[in-house]
Amino acid sequence: MADISAPKMSRRGWLAAGGTALLAGAIGPGAAAAARPAGEPIRLNLNENAYGPSPRVGQAIAAHAQGIHRYVDQGEVDALTAQIAALEQVRPDQVVIGEVLEPLGLYLARQRASGAGGSGGIVYSTPGYTALVDAAAPLGGVAVGVPLNARLENDLPALARAVDDRTLAVNLVNPHNPSGTVNDRDQLDRFIRETARRTLVVIDEAYLEYDDFAAQSAIRHVREGANVLVFRTLAKIYGLAGLSIGYAVAPTPLAEGLRKAGIGAPHSLNRLALAAAGAALEDQRHIQDVRARTLAERARLTRALDELGLEHSDSRANFVFFKSPRAAALRQHLTTTGIAIARPFPPLDDWIRITIGLPHENDAVIAALRGG
């Protein structure tokens, strides 16, 4: 019989006695495979990291859980800012913490609306990720969509032609979403340098860790003083989709303007997300492991597409994008099989995007494709 006279363990005592290990064990590669309840579909629709974050993330969350009754203070933001600045080799005053794209859209549109210029356009690739464009719309931001080229890449010459004296920004996703393609580095560098003389260039690198991040990142243009903002999220390869945190690296005047507008302020941030971000960024060995596993599975799924004679893009992200003459029927078949895939991306309605999952999840995809 239990000793009911024994004192109850406090939260602090529980953490010290092993609660930290329990929380940490619930986050990481092993936990990712067990996270889906029985009967739930295989989630391959949102480009999440199937392997989960670093085990250090769980430890960091547990260690900071006792402080959730207190607001985030500036020192916590500064610590993560300094860590990111060192990682990206920029000054701390060039870093803005947070999921910056939506508030950036509002900021750009508000800046134009408050002046004499009226509304302005945001040039972007279609189909594509529209967070920046959508956020600017209520304040008069105009979406200027430019179709992808024949290889489903950002059409750099067409994007350059779309820029005029009313353009607020050009927004590129590289690797692109939903196609996963990456622009040629030399061509992209020329485009960025030339376009940044005319307007702000925003580069969303949500998936770049799945490609050659060290060589491809546009952050080098920020270091050189160009009018470029690079957005990075920890929702993808870092496995923090449920904690919603990222950062921007920008020219100092723009970064200061964003902070003065309240973007990245302590009150807008989550203490556990900050702690998780620091731990995730620190564990680059885990990132290398996730990248290697994902690329191996992407290659396996791509081979299956080739064997089935299905045209596909040259995806460098953690998903595949392929064309099917029976796209609507195949979508229904995958759904019936218990596999959740991405929504359609008009006008490419006969193309399908599927996130790379765990090996057994990809087995299910390949079997469904062969049976569909």
Side-chain angles (χ1 to χ4, degrees), residues 194-207:
E194 292 171 4
T195 307
R197 298 189 186 105
R198 305 168 63 194
T199 191
L200 174 67
V201 178
V202 178
I203 308 292
D204 181 347
E205 296 183 344
Y207 302 99

Side-chain angles (χ1 to χ4, degrees), residues 23-211:
L23 283 173
I27 299 176
R36 188 175 72 253
E40 290 293 311
I42 298 173
R43 287 178 45 154
L44 302 180
N45 55 331
L46 297 175
N47 299 340
E48 297 154 326
N49 167 6
Y51 294 94
S54 163
R56 298 184 192 180
V57 167
Q59 297 166 6
I61 289 174
H64 288 79
Q66 297 175 77
I68 58 174
H69 61 299
R70 301 291 187 187
Y71 290 112
V72 172
D73 63 45
Q74 188 64 50
E76 294 169 275
V77 180
D78 291 345
L80 181 59
T81 298
Q83 181 182 358
I84 292 168
L87 179 68
E88 303 292 6
Q89 301 175 44
V90 296
R91 296 191 308 274
D93 63 9
Q94 295 180 287
V95 177
V96 181
I97 305 295
E99 289 286 359
V100 173
L101 287 181
E102 292 184 8
L104 173 64
L106 285 170
Y107 174 84
L108 293 174
R110 186 181 295 116
Q111 290 289 102
R112 176 63 62 86
S114 64
S119 62
I122 296 180
V123 178
Y124 73 107
S125 296
T126 58
Y129 185 62
T130 60
L132 181 68
V133 174
D134 294 343
L139 292 179
V142 178
V144 181
V146 175
L148 300 172
N149 65 21
R151 294 182 298 277
L152 300 184
E153 300 168 347
N154 295 303
D155 190 333
L156 301 179
L159 288 161
R161 289 193 296 271
V163 175
D164 59 26
D165 57 3
R166 298 180 63 79
T167 300
L168 296 174
V170 174
N171 182 204
L172 295 186
V173 183
N174 191 54
H176 189 69
N177 179 20
S179 68
T181 56
V182 174
N183 284 97
D184 174 82
R185 173 178 166 165
D186 291 340
Q187 293 176 11
L188 182 60
D189 279 349
R190 283 196 298 273
F191 172 85
I192 291 174
R193 290 192 179 102
E194 292 171 4
T195 307
R197 298 189 186 105
R198 305 168 63 194
T199 191
L200 174 67
V201 178
V202 178
I203 308 292
D204 181 347
E205 296 183 344
Y207 302 99
L208 197 56
E209 293 93 348
Y210 291 107
D211 193 59

Side-chain angles (χ1 to χ4, degrees), residues 358-369:
L358 297 167
H360 71 276
E361 295 173 330
N362 301 325
D363 288 341
V365 169
I366 291 170
L369 291 176

